[in-house]
Amino acid sequence: MNQPIFTNSKYAIVGAGLMGRLLAVALAQRGAQVDLFDKGDSAASGAAARIAAAMLAPLAESAITEDSVVRMGIHSLPRWKDLISALSKPVFFQQDGTLILWHRQDASEAERFSNHLEKNCRHNPQLTAPIKLNASDLAQIEPGVADRFMQALYLPNEGQLDNRQLLDALLHELITLKVNCHWNTAAEPEQLRKNGPYQSVIDCRGHGAKEAWLSTSNKLRGVRGEVVRLYAPEVKLRRPTRLIHPRYPIYIAPKENDIYVVGATEIESDDLSEMSLRSAMELLSAVYTVHSGFAEARILEMATQCRPTLKNNLPEIRIQKDKGLSDLIMVNGLYRHGFMISPAILDSSLEVLEFGQSNTALELGLSITSNLGTTNNHEASLCA
């Protein structure tokens, strides 16, 4: 897989969450020397990626996000298969659709949601239209909830993976590829640009890069999400399931070994303190209405994290070139769609490093901006 342009290059990556690990592995696979810095440990304990359900659901998310993000999600689904198949350790990956449920009193809300998805499918032929299920259909597809729900929506082709298995598998790959990992090291990208022998310094710190984005027009903020992990052997859901509810919409992502990830709240706050009583009650009450087997579930974890979110709620790659310094590539703003779109961000970033621009980003509508440095100081939008 070695590529000449990368073989003789050395890169520094700051931030070893999802994007930092993906980029470090991809560059090392292509023959580059990589130094990876993170202020946390190798288990990614402080990364937003560790507190996620890792659902790959572009159609479901099309109800609340921009078309460009949906297209990145469509691009990323088959890319995940490629990326995971190249890893030495197995990662749970499933592409068996998403189930949408609602209680009888919320039928009008479900109808609006369904109409919204159908409209998005008409505008984007790459999306597969949702399928309306009656009670008989539902009993066939998801028998575990057929006694409580008489109808549902099925979104075929959508998927999920196990985020924690993936982070561990990427760590194993970093070691195998001899990436120089500097754990518990809070490196500053600007210092590395001045002092290091790097072709480029790539800032993947997520919410930790908040100050670095202050000087831009697209400020970075945190959006707090709270997630519960349950062990529920009496529940046998086969695929990610979402409950439409006017106050407590939730998702339930079934992982291997009867583990369920239930989320998530979405609060405009940088607060990383423990989960509130209100959030816990809302999530647990709502999940119990989907399947009575959750009554005997064991609560393994209640966790919170801040998703890195730019002012426009869209991801962005930002390029800084200054004479006498290593180039700086800032990758951020993946918001609630980190796992859904990260392969698209990865492919675009690699093209930027190789060619200085990205046709993939142009096709998908991913924003890439460039600041040409203090001698020619202006911003130029390269894509989207």
Side-chain angles (χ1 to χ4, degrees), residues 148-224:
R148 290 198 170 198
F149 298 90
M150 300 302 292
Q151 54 189 335
L153 272 183
Y154 176 58
L155 316 186
N157 298 328
E158 302 203 322
Q160 65 157 334
L161 55 82
D162 189 306
N163 56 320
R164 295 186 176 183
Q165 285 183 11
L166 178 72
L167 292 169
D168 290 345
L170 289 171
L171 174 62
H172 179 81
E173 220 64 26
L174 293 172
I175 296 169
T176 302
L177 292 166
K178 301 188 185 308
V179 170
N180 298 313
C181 297
H182 304 268
W183 305 114
N184 303 304
T185 304
E188 283 295 328
E190 288 297 338
Q191 286 300 316
L192 294 174
R193 295 181 72 197
K194 295 175 184 174
N195 304 327
Y198 301 113
Q199 186 85 13
S200 298
V201 176
I202 308 170
D203 186 350
C204 296
R205 290 178 293 169
H207 185 240
K210 187 176 178 180
E211 289 190 8
W213 288 79
L214 283 176
S215 60
T216 75
S217 57
N218 205 8
K219 304 288 189 297
L220 184 68
R221 70 188 194 280
V223 176
R224 176 181 164 101

Side-chain angles (χ1 to χ4, degrees), residues 164 228-232 257-260 297-303:
R164 295 186 176 183
V228 180
R229 293 178 78 89
L230 302 173
Y231 171 64
N257 303 317
D258 299 316
I259 303 296
Y260 291 83
R298 296 297 181 261
I299 300 173
L300 303 178
E301 180 180 310
M302 290 183 172

